[in-house]
Amino acid sequence: MLRPEQITQELFEFNRRIANGMTTLSKIGRVDVEASPKDPVYREDKLVLYRYRPRRKQVSTVPLLIVYALVNRPYMTDLQEDRSIIRGLLDQGVDVYLIDWGYPDGADRFLDLEDYVNRYIRRCVDFVCKQHDLPSINVLGICQGGTLSLCYTALHPERVRNLITMVTPVDFHTPDNTLSHWYRDLDVDLMVDTLGNIPGELLNWSFLSLKPFRLTGQKYVDMADILEDEDRLKNFLRMEKWIFDSPDQPGELFRQFIKCFYQENRLIKGTLKIGGRTIDLKQIKMPVLNVYATEDHLVPPSASIPLEKYVGTKDYGTIVFKGGHIGIYVSSRSQKDIPPAIAEWLKVRSEE
């Protein structure tokens, strides 16, 4: 039982930290993200394809193209120097490219799966292949970008040397997929026909509400414990910047993605068509590495694990990360384990 003097002391200490924290905040100013230098090498509409500058002699002659989700910005993979999957890959000698989807606006209202898979991703892959005089390259698809990468690879298997999926949903109807249960009853036609493009802020708050106490309340109470530590506070602010930097979603793409994947689960049923062609995951016969997180609340392991039984490859591997959807990019454990494991997996198969 707390005594009155203990409560008074706790309140005094809390207020002291808040007061000192205001001084710390005033010194920080704008926080920087994206730690690794990169150069734009191809542009189309809002899309920019970047190539990262090497940090050491490149070990593999086959470059890696990262296809990120459209929902948030891809700098989560390169948030800061000591929390960067991309920097880890560069340190392993991997030649890294990344697709930045930009910020869709009203002009992109009618972009659909055909545009993103058969136009944007296809042209980026073709560009990288041409730059390196290669018939195929390595692809790393992350979250929604992993689902799009599976679709692209199934349609154009000759262009993908090795495929890596990270926290990627495959089976959208697993019982523990809370996001899927929400979307299954959504009147997506009414939503898109009313709003046009789907506001990123709307989607962002729906994701946060999956863990409302932890993600919208408790973390700000815990913030008081780090307000006097400038480095830790900067880490917190970088994460907040990324969380609330949410591009709008092209209306037609959102409509198709919700219907085809979350509501009808067409990817694993073999009934998904893009550009008039059926997506047959059995056409994915190149080596596949599936990376998933055990505590992922957005893409539960049960949604990612089934990939093995649907693809046609005989060379299938997994990396199981003990953490969450965000921790897989930024935790100290992920920095130590995941980039070296991916680089080694690629090195062996790119040389073969």
Side-chain angles (χ1 to χ4, degrees):
M1 182 176 179
L2 289 175
R3 297 190 299 273
E5 59 269 25
Q6 288 178 300
I7 296 175
T8 302
Q9 181 59 35
E10 280 198 21
L11 289 173
F12 175 81
E13 180 63 21
F14 182 81
N15 288 329
R16 185 194 65 77
R17 290 199 299 266
I18 296 295
N20 291 343
M22 295 303 102
T23 302
T24 308
L25 278 170
S26 67
K27 294 178 182 178
I28 290 177
R30 184 184 180 91
V31 294
D32 296 323
V33 293
E34 299 184 270
S36 306
K38 61 185 185 298
D39 301 296
V41 292
Y42 174 78
R43 296 178 184 271
E44 183 176 352
D45 300 332
K46 306 296 191 303
L47 177 154
V48 182
L49 176 65
Y50 288 101
R51 185 182 188 184
Y52 285 85
R53 298 175 189 175
R55 288 175 53 82
R56 55 164 290 190
K57 182 179 179 180
Q58 290 170 355
V59 175
S60 173
T61 58
V62 182
L64 174 68
L65 172 64
I66 297 178
V67 182
Y68 197 76
L70 284 79
V71 177
N72 285 104
R73 302 288 292 138
Y75 57 76
M76 173 53 68
T77 59
D78 188 38
L79 195 62
Q80 61 190 57
E81 290 185 1
D82 59 342
R83 297 200 290 174
S84 170
I85 291 291
I86 285 177
R87 178 163 286 221
L89 291 169
L90 294 172
D91 286 341
Q92 295 295 319
V94 179
D95 190 355
V96 179
Y97 288 79
L98 177 139
I99 296 176
D100 184 334
W101 300 111
Y103 294 87
D105 58 24
D108 307 303
R109 160 72 173 79
F110 295 101
L111 293 176
D112 58 12
L113 286 170
E114 166 79 356
D115 290 303
Y116 279 88
V117 172
N118 278 334
R119 183 152 67 94
Y120 291 143
I121 296 178
R122 180 177 64 82
R123 289 178 183 173
C124 287
V125 171
D126 289 350
F127 176 88
V128 178
C129 286
K130 184 177 180 181
Q131 288 294 107
H132 294 264
D133 193 24
L134 291 170
S136 60
I137 61 170
N138 301 321
V139 173
L140 166 58
I142 296 177
C143 193
Q144 181 192 32
T147 306
L148 297 177
S149 296
L150 286 170
C151 295
Y152 169 81
T153 305
L155 292 175
H156 308 280
E158 73 285 353
R159 285 307 225 180
V160 180
R161 183 74 171 268
N162 301 289
L163 176 64
I164 304 169
T165 56
M166 179 179 287
V167 291
T168 293
V170 178
D171 182 350
F172 287 77
H173 281 186
T174 55
D176 59 345
N177 193 331
T178 304
L179 198 59
S180 173
H181 286 291
W182 282 7
Y183 281 147
R184 274 184 243 177
D185 294 324
L186 176 70
D187 189 341
V188 67
D189 289 326
L190 178 62
M191 188 175 185
V192 173
D193 293 343
T194 302
L195 298 175
N197 287 345
I198 305 304
E201 185 176 4
L202 174 62
L203 292 179
N204 190 46
W205 280 107
S206 70
F207 299 148
L208 292 174
S209 64
L210 290 171
K211 286 188 173 182
F213 178 73
R214 181 72 191 98
L215 298 180
T216 63
Q218 185 62 46
K219 70 174 180 178
Y220 296 113
V221 176
D222 294 342
M223 181 184 174
D225 295 330
I226 64 171
L227 279 173
E228 297 174 277
D229 187 324
E230 185 172 335
D231 288 337
R232 293 177 67 191
L233 187 56
K234 283 182 177 179
N235 291 349
F236 180 88
L237 293 175
R238 288 189 185 98
M239 185 66 68
E240 290 294 284
K241 178 181 176 67
W242 176 80
I243 288 173
F244 293 101
D245 188 359
S246 304
D248 295 346
Q249 301 299 293
E252 197 58 36
L253 175 74
F254 183 81
R255 187 201 310 268
Q256 289 184 346
F257 202 88
I258 296 301
K259 282 188 174 183
C260 293
F261 295 97
Y262 280 104
Q263 294 184 345
E264 300 171 9
N265 211 16
R266 291 188 188 182
L267 183 62
I268 63 170
K269 291 180 179 179
T271 58
L272 176 64
K273 288 189 176 183
I274 296 179
R277 297 176 59 191
T278 300
I279 305 299
D280 180 7
L281 294 180
K282 290 298 181 184
Q283 295 301 312
I284 300 178
K285 299 178 181 179
M286 73 291 296
V288 174
L289 178 65
N290 189 16
V291 186
Y292 62 89
T294 58
E295 306 301 322
D296 195 330
H297 70 291
L298 291 174
V299 184
S302 61
S304 294
I305 292 173
L307 178 62
E308 182 175 10
K309 67 180 180 180
Y310 291 106
V311 292
T313 183
K314 295 180 180 179
D315 185 352
Y316 184 92
T318 59
I319 296 177
V320 182
F321 173 73
K322 294 182 179 180
H325 191 83
I326 305 303
I328 201 169
Y329 311 118
V330 300
S331 73
S332 58
R333 187 171 64 255
S334 72
Q335 309 307 305
K336 177 183 176 182
D337 297 338
I338 291 179
I342 290 176
E344 181 61 27
W345 186 87
L346 286 174
K347 181 174 179 290
V348 171
R349 287 154 183 82
S350 295
E351 290 176 350
E352 288 177 348

